[in-house]
Amino acid sequence: MADSPTYLRACGLDELEEDTPKRVELDGTPVSVVRTEGEVFAIHDICSHANVSLSEGEVEDCQIECWLHGSAFDLRTGKPSGLPATRPVPVYPVKIEGGSVLVDVGASLNQES
């Protein structure tokens, strides 16, 4: 059962503005969906350092910045680029079908140890 991905519709591709995070909730999981540099990414919306929404931050150079303390997370890997955050946040598989952005929140592309 866990082997087959379950993609859920996050939003329409046309709803995403370049470099502007969109917060959605999928299966009870807060997700920030970001369109940047010609790709669409889905990253867990809660900062690993403080319980704040990453979708309220800014996107630059394929990173999303936490507005509260300034840690930035790579949209491809979830890894923080600097303090105070030291732990990555989950990133999720994304696919585009028929103009919809689909995200699998049951699978994280970065496995935390």
Side-chain angles (χ1 to χ4, degrees), residues 13 26 37 44-45 69 72 75 93:
L13 185 59
L26 302 173
E37 298 181 9
H44 193 74
D45 192 47
H69 296 117
L75 291 168

Side-chain angles (χ1 to χ4, degrees), residues 64-78:
I64 189 166
E65 183 180 55
C66 177
W67 62 270
L68 187 60
H69 296 117
S71 286
F73 298 88
D74 190 304
L75 291 168
R76 297 165 292 226
T77 66

Side-chain angles (χ1 to χ4, degrees), residues 70-97:
S71 286
F73 298 88
D74 190 304
L75 291 168
R76 297 165 292 226
T77 66
K79 292 182 180 174
S81 62
L83 297 173
T86 58
R87 291 178 293 123
V89 293
V91 293
Y92 306 108
V94 173
K95 65 181 180 179
I96 310 299
E97 281 185 3

Side-chain angles (χ1 to χ4, degrees), residues 13-109:
L13 185 59
D14 60 355
E15 294 176 52
L16 295 176
E17 294 180 40
E18 186 77 10
D19 297 331
T20 303
K22 179 176 183 66
R23 186 183 198 280
V24 297
E25 191 165 306
L26 302 173
D27 235 6
T29 302
V31 177
S32 183
V33 181
V34 180
R35 183 180 198 168
T36 187
E37 298 181 9
E39 294 185 66
V40 177
F41 301 93
I43 189 167
H44 193 74
D45 192 47
I46 305 301
C47 177
S48 63
H49 170 256
N51 188 25
V52 295
S53 174
L54 291 176
S55 63
E56 295 177 25
E58 294 184 6
V59 173
E60 188 175 337
D61 297 328
C62 214
Q63 294 188 27
I64 189 166
E65 183 180 55
C66 177
W67 62 270
L68 187 60
H69 296 117
S71 286
F73 298 88
D74 190 304
L75 291 168
R76 297 165 292 226
T77 66
K79 292 182 180 174
S81 62
L83 297 173
T86 58
R87 291 178 293 123
V89 293
V91 293
Y92 306 108
V94 173
K95 65 181 180 179
I96 310 299
E97 281 185 3
S100 291
V101 177
L102 306 175
V103 177
D104 181 4
V105 293
S108 178
L109 294 173

